[in-house]
Amino acid sequence: MIWFTRKQKELARTTSAAKLQTMYERSEQKLDNAARRGDLKAVDRAMKEHHDYEYALLCKKAKKY
């Protein structure tokens, strides 16, 4: 079962799905760039950001159904 954090719920509530999708894609680019550079701290930060946007999108979709 998925548990959404307050931050993810707030993002889902206050941000449009299109904006969340854009932010999700940008975070994915950050993740790829950090991995290519081999910067593990940047990978960790990007992964947390990516995770939050992904789950905010899921939360927004789950509330529709």
Side-chain angles (χ1 to χ4, degrees):
M1 178 161 201
I2 295 177
W3 297 99
F4 300 111
T5 65
R6 279 189 193 152
K7 181 179 181 179
Q8 293 159 355
K9 289 177 186 177
E10 185 67 24
L11 277 170
R13 205 173 19 251
T14 60
T15 311
S16 70
K19 179 74 173 174
L20 281 173
Q21 185 66 37
T22 301
M23 293 177 353
Y24 172 80
E25 290 168 3
R26 285 184 186 163
S27 69
E28 194 166 16
Q29 285 179 329
K30 287 181 187 179
L31 186 58
D32 287 341
N33 291 338
R36 284 189 192 129
R37 286 192 316 268
D39 185 353
L40 296 179
K41 287 186 180 185
V43 168
D44 188 46
R45 284 191 307 269
M47 192 63 208
K48 288 177 184 175
E49 182 180 339
H50 184 72
H51 178 82
D52 283 337
Y53 293 135
E54 180 179 22
Y55 273 55
L57 275 168
L58 289 172
C59 183
K60 191 170 215 48
K61 289 178 184 177
K63 289 185 177 198
K64 288 183 182 178
Y65 298 105

